[in-house]
Amino acid sequence: MLFERIAKGDTLLFIASAVLSLHKNSLSAEKLLPYCAHFHCYVLEEDLLARGLDADDILAEIKRVDYPGFVSLTVENEVIKTWN
């Protein structure tokens, strides 16, 4: 599972279609919720809005960032991992 590949305190940034997994009523969000206490979780707001979602639709534990925030997270985190 994805969470076995990352360490406590790592940062997760949900972009593109991955933002759909954050919907409060989804099974994936239910599975993600316990991990939010151990990871810094963010979503790219532009991708969220592009898919017809807003802050009220997703888990409250997920912080929203804009493109400058995306760049800041990239600079602040040394290792970048992606999964398809």
Side-chain angles (χ1 to χ4, degrees), residues 66-82:
D66 54 12
Y67 280 111
F70 185 141
V71 172
S72 294
L73 288 172
T74 303
V75 171
E76 292 168 8
N77 293 277
E78 294 179 19
V79 179
I80 306 296
K81 300 176 186 176
T82 61

Side-chain angles (χ1 to χ4, degrees), residues 17-67:
S17 294
V19 304
L20 297 172
S21 67
L22 303 175
H23 194 282
K24 286 191 266 193
N25 297 327
S26 72
L27 180 58
S28 56
E30 183 179 316
K31 290 180 180 180
L32 174 64
L33 189 57
Y35 294 96
C36 289
H38 303 289
F39 308 125
H40 305 281
C41 298
Y42 297 88
V43 62
L44 184 60
E45 183 148 22
E46 285 82 353
D47 286 346
L48 191 68
L49 296 174
R51 283 149 184 87
L53 300 173
D54 62 30
D56 293 334
D57 295 322
I58 64 169
L59 297 171
E61 293 77 8
I62 308 297
K63 299 173 195 85
R64 293 172 288 137
V65 295
D66 54 12
Y67 280 111

